[in-house]
Amino acid sequence: QVSTGKRIEKLSDDPVGAAYSIRYSTDIVKENQYLSNIEASEEILTATETALSSANEVLGRIRDLTVQAASSTNSENSRASIKVEIEQLKEELVSLANTTYNGRYIFSGYKTNKPLMNDDGSYAITVEDTEGINYQVSENNVMQVNILGTNIFGAGKATEKPKMIADLDNLITCISSGDTEGIRASLQDLDDAQDSVLAGMTEIGGKMNRLNLARNRVTNNVTYLKQAKSLNDDVDAAEAVTNLYTEKAVYSAALQIGATVIQQSLLDFLR
C-alpha cells in the first residue's frame, strides 16, 4: 500500500470497496463521454450559427438592393447592376446552404455526405422532418444538435426550389422587367426569409445555453466521482507508513524471540 498508494489491490482486499471503485470508474468514463458529446455539439452549433449569421447578412444586403431597385428613378443600367449583385448573393446563399463542418454537410439532416442544394438553388436531396441528429449531453438529457435546412430555406423535396430561393428568382425577374410593384412586394418575402434565419439563430442560442449548463453539471459530477473514488481507493499515507513500521517492528521482535528459543534448545541438546 505504501509503494502503490492504493488501499485495494485485489478484490479480496475489500470486496465492497472494490465494487464501489468499479462503479466510480464506470461513471467517470460515462461522464467524460458526455463532455466529449458537449464539445462536439458546441462545434456543430457554432458552425451552424456562423453560416446563419452570414446568411442573415446576405439577405440584409439583398434587401438594401431591393429598396434601391424599387425606386422608379433607376436607370436600366442601375437595375442591371443591382440584378447582377443579387444573382451573386443568391449564389452565396446556396453556398451557405451547403456549409460543411469536418467534412459533413450541416443542413442535410442524416445525409451529411450530400449537399443540401444544387447550384441552381433547388434541393439536391429530400430532408425529412425526423432527421434530427441527437447527442446525449448528460444523464437523461438528449439534444438535437443540427438545424434542418428545410426549416431555414423552406419546405421542399429533391429537385424542388425552397421558397427563399424561388422568391429571389422572382425578385431577379421583376428587376429585369422593371416591375416596380413586384420588386416592392418582394420586400415582405425578404423579411420572412430573415425571420426564418433569425429564428434558427435564436434556437442555436438556446441550445448553447443548455450545453453550458450541462457542461457545468457534468464537470461537477466528474470532480465528485474522482474525489469519491480517491477516498475509496487511496490509502492514508501516514497511517500506512505507521502500520508498515509497526509490522516491521513486530516481525523483528518475532525473529529475535524465535532465534532465542532455537539457540536455547540447541544448547540444551548439546549438554
Side-chain angles (χ1 to χ4, degrees):
Q1 290 182 346
V2 172
S3 62
T4 63
K6 297 298 180 183
R7 185 176 64 85
I8 304 172
E9 292 295 330
K10 52 186 182 296
L11 288 175
S12 59
D13 291 338
D14 182 354
V16 175
Y20 273 108
S21 180
I22 293 171
R23 190 181 72 180
Y24 288 140
S25 296
T26 301
D27 287 345
I28 288 171
V29 170
K30 181 177 66 175
E31 296 292 335
N32 281 330
Q33 182 60 56
Y34 292 153
L35 287 175
S36 296
N37 291 348
I38 289 170
E39 182 177 350
S41 300
E42 287 177 334
E43 290 174 355
I44 294 171
L45 289 171
T46 297
T48 305
E49 183 179 34
T50 299
L52 292 181
S53 178
S54 296
N56 187 54
E57 291 179 5
V58 169
L59 289 169
R61 176 57 182 164
I62 291 175
R63 195 184 193 288
D64 290 341
L65 291 170
T66 302
V67 171
Q68 294 179 31
S71 173
S72 58
T73 61
N74 279 306
S75 66
E76 185 174 338
N77 288 338
S78 295
R79 286 198 306 271
S81 297
I82 291 172
K83 171 178 170 291
V84 169
E85 185 172 353
I86 291 178
E87 288 174 336
Q88 293 173 345
L89 291 170
K90 173 196 161 187
E91 291 177 5
E92 179 62 18
L93 275 179
V94 172
S95 177
L96 290 169
N98 292 332
T99 296
T100 60
Y101 166 74
N102 201 21
R104 297 174 296 178
Y105 291 94
I106 61 177
F107 292 115
S108 295
Y110 292 156
K111 307 172 188 70
T112 56
N113 61 329
K114 297 179 180 179
L116 179 67
M117 291 186 184
N118 298 308
D119 290 342
D120 65 351
S122 62
Y123 279 136
I125 57 175
T126 298
V127 178
E128 304 293 345
D129 293 340
T130 56
E131 294 189 39
I133 297 174
N134 299 314
Y135 282 6
Q136 185 164 0
V137 296
S138 64
E139 192 73 23
N140 301 319
N141 186 3
V142 176
M143 177 184 296
Q144 180 177 329
V145 299
N146 66 325
I147 301 292
L148 300 180
T150 49
N151 291 341
I152 301 298
F153 303 100
K157 299 184 181 299
T159 73
E160 297 177 352
K161 284 189 177 182
K163 184 177 186 301
M164 186 182 296
I165 301 301
D167 287 342
L168 290 178
D169 286 343
N170 179 65
L171 171 60
I172 290 169
T173 299
C174 289
I175 293 174
S176 296
S177 63
D179 181 359
T180 304
E181 291 301 319
I183 295 172
R184 290 172 181 165
S186 294
L187 289 172
Q188 183 59 55
D189 294 331
L190 290 171
D191 288 342
D192 293 342
Q194 281 193 290
D195 287 344
S196 178
V197 171
L198 290 173
M201 294 175 67
T202 300
E203 181 180 350
I204 290 173
K207 290 179 183 293
M208 292 292 273
N209 288 336
R210 282 182 60 194
L211 286 174
N212 188 51
L213 292 173
R215 180 194 296 278
N216 292 338
R217 182 166 59 254
V218 173
T219 299
N220 289 337
N221 288 345
V222 171
T223 299
Y224 161 74
L225 288 168
K226 287 182 176 180
Q227 290 174 343
K229 180 173 170 55
S230 177
L231 289 172
N232 182 75
D233 295 1
D234 298 345
V235 299
D236 184 316
E239 181 181 352
V241 170
T242 300
N243 291 338
L244 176 63
Y245 280 107
T246 300
E247 291 174 3
K248 282 185 175 180
V250 171
Y251 179 66
S252 297
L255 288 178
Q256 291 174 1
I257 293 172
T260 301
V261 171
I262 294 173
Q263 184 178 17
Q264 290 174 344
S265 298
L266 288 174
L267 289 174
D268 291 344
F269 176 76
L270 290 174
R271 290 174 185 171

